[in-house]
Amino acid sequence: MRISSIEGNRQRLDGGAMFGNAPRALWSRWMEPDEHNRIELACRAILAEDLDGRNVLFETGIGMFFEPRLRSRYGVIEDEHMLLRSLQARGISHEDIDAVVLSHLHFDHAGGMLSAYREGEAPQLLFPNARYLVSVEGWERARNPHPRDRASFIPELTSLLESSGRLELVEGEYSPALGPAVRFVYSHGHTPGLMLAEIGGDGGVVFCADLIPGRPWVHVPITMGYDRYPEQLIDEKRAFLEDKVARGVRLFFTHDAECAMALPTKDERGRFTTTEEWVTVDGLALAA
């Protein structure tokens, strides 16, 4: 099995919202804001090739489904569907993907499931030959969002996924579609049923999604304003990092603009940080 980082559309979001109660004087050392106080974020996916003979895509980024006004509001940078372009650069079409794993259904993680916006046309679901994997709790949240996070979901997406006949709701550590090659653990501090996929076991890679969006958030007290229960997320993150450090599992970051993957470590003060940082990942071999 080989894994690669796949770049989707980037976006700019308010730095204060992305760093919760951390003051600008602190977070601006890590990520420089623009004149509108926004920071640049990647929306990065993992492509696993030959995972038991299948091509599996972990997340799809924000994509290009927004109409122009909302695209501007949410800071989408490019004007084409970059996930599809990045896959094509590897010689792969969205039609070649056998499974798409979605940590949750917020638009910046699942919007790339949809075709690019065209005026007067309804969005179409991409990846026509893939199983779509979503956690049970994540699915229920998307179908019945709280007023606080309703705007984070794409209203059309749940009906499109359900009507595809290829939706698989995941409960527990393993899924029927992927078997033991991918192990799932769950977090609830950001959104209910955030599904974190670990590929390759000990010494492998875990897709951190919004539990740890990038390197600055490896520091345990740092959370996002978008998190529903920051204290719960901190407790989940600490336990998650203790486990990954002990087993040598690398962290894959979806939102870090400059780093796709890094090895977590713990210093003499008990603070988590990263080493062996990868800007991109290109065909890294993992045990199946």
Side-chain angles (χ1 to χ4, degrees):
M1 171 173 49
R2 304 178 310 280
I3 69 162
S4 301
S5 56
I6 302 295
E7 296 291 328
N9 291 76
R10 294 194 166 210
Q11 65 174 146
R12 295 187 180 95
L13 288 180
D14 183 82
M18 286 300 298
F19 285 103
N21 64 349
R24 176 179 165 133
L26 178 61
W27 62 254
S28 61
R29 300 177 197 167
W30 305 326
M31 304 182 78
E32 184 177 355
D34 66 12
E35 67 274 16
H36 302 296
N37 206 49
R38 301 179 306 176
I39 57 174
E40 183 173 331
L41 300 170
C43 289
R44 186 182 291 110
I46 289 178
L47 173 66
E49 298 174 86
D50 196 22
L51 192 158
D52 290 338
R54 290 165 291 192
N55 293 324
V56 180
L57 189 66
F58 295 81
E59 296 215 343
T60 64
I62 195 169
M64 277 288 291
F65 75 97
F66 276 133
E67 53 94 357
R69 178 178 59 87
L70 290 176
R71 195 183 310 156
S72 175
R73 175 186 297 177
Y74 291 110
V76 179
I77 295 174
E78 300 89 355
D79 59 1
E80 63 177 303
H81 201 313
M82 294 302 296
L83 180 77
L84 299 185
R85 179 175 175 178
S86 297
L87 286 171
Q88 288 167 359
R90 293 197 64 81
I92 293 176
S93 162
H94 71 103
E95 297 173 346
D96 299 323
I97 300 298
D98 299 299
V100 178
V101 178
L102 298 160
S103 68
H104 61 309
L105 292 177
H106 286 172
F107 63 70
D108 56 328
H109 297 258
M113 296 284 294
L114 299 174
S115 57
Y117 172 82
R118 287 185 175 83
E119 188 174 1
E121 296 183 15
Q124 301 296 312
L125 198 59
L126 301 175
F127 309 98
N129 299 308
R131 301 282 294 174
Y132 306 121
L133 278 64
V134 184
S135 78
V136 170
E137 289 180 271
W139 177 252
E140 289 305 314
R141 182 65 163 207
R143 292 179 66 228
N144 299 287
H146 190 276
R148 187 174 183 271
D149 67 352
R150 186 179 303 277
S152 296
F153 294 101
I154 306 167
E156 307 93 334
L157 185 56
T158 51
S159 60
L160 287 170
L161 289 171
E162 197 163 33
S163 63
S164 73
R166 291 175 280 113
L167 174 66
E168 182 179 318
L169 298 182
V170 182
E171 195 170 26
E173 286 189 299
Y174 302 101
S175 74
L178 302 181
V182 178
R183 173 176 170 264
F184 296 107
V185 297
Y186 300 86
S187 166
H188 307 281
H190 177 70
T191 190
L194 183 73
M195 190 165 71
L196 306 164
E198 183 180 302
I199 313 163
D202 292 358
V205 177
V206 63
F207 196 108
C208 295
D210 279 342
L211 177 65
I212 308 175
R215 290 167 298 170
W217 295 270
V218 170
H219 185 39
V220 168
I222 301 300
T223 62
M224 295 188 288
Y226 301 110
D227 297 327
R228 60 196 287 257
Y229 296 132
E231 291 184 3
Q232 179 180 358
L233 186 136
I234 286 171
D235 292 341
E236 291 171 339
K237 180 165 51 170
R238 181 184 291 111
F240 180 86
L241 286 169
E242 291 280 7
D243 175 69
K244 303 305 175 274
V245 169
R247 297 193 296 115
V249 176
R250 287 158 284 197
L251 310 178
F252 188 91
F253 304 123
T254 188
H255 287 317
D256 194 312
E258 298 177 349
C259 178
M261 187 176 73
L263 184 69
T265 187
K266 192 176 181 181
D267 67 19
E268 64 280 358
R269 298 176 297 167
R271 175 171 172 160
F272 293 102
T273 184
T274 58
T275 186
E276 297 183 22
E277 297 174 350
W278 301 51
V279 176
T280 60
V281 184
D282 186 8
L284 175 68
L286 294 179

